[in-house]
Amino acid sequence: MIYCITLKRTIISCPECSSRINIKDYRKCKVIHNMIGSKNTSLILKKRRLVCPNGINLRI
């Protein structure tokens, strides 16, 4: 089984300068997970890469 997971898009502020953060791009990450129904399960996560307008790169 393969599940695809994407975070809901929300407005995020920078922890350093409190300004609004822009989304730089998305990366896909595959994780093996055995806890769902005791079957071989893979989770495909769509992770966001964020960038602060002041030049600080963040991953959330």
Side-chain angles (χ1 to χ4, degrees), residues 7-12 20-21 23 48:
L7 294 174
K8 264 189 176 177
R9 192 171 190 163
T10 57
I11 297 172
I12 301 171
R20 185 176 173 180
I21 294 179
I23 296 173
R48 292 181 290 205

Side-chain angles (χ1 to χ4, degrees), residues 1 3 32-42:
M1 286 187 151
Y3 292 96
I32 305 299
H33 194 283
N34 295 339
M35 301 301 288
I36 301 174
S38 298
K39 297 179 181 178
N40 290 335
T41 306
S42 296

Side-chain angles (χ1 to χ4, degrees), residues 4-9 26 28 44-48:
C4 294
I5 300 171
T6 304
L7 294 174
K8 264 189 176 177
R9 192 171 190 163
Y26 289 94
K28 289 186 180 177
I44 297 175
L45 305 174
K46 190 176 177 184
K47 298 193 299 186
R48 292 181 290 205

Side-chain angles (χ1 to χ4, degrees), residues 14-35:
C14 178
E16 299 290 326
C17 65
S18 301
S19 63
R20 185 176 173 180
I21 294 179
N22 300 322
I23 296 173
K24 184 175 182 179
D25 64 355
Y26 289 94
R27 299 283 172 125
K28 289 186 180 177
C29 177
K30 187 175 181 180
V31 179
I32 305 299
H33 194 283
N34 295 339
M35 301 301 288

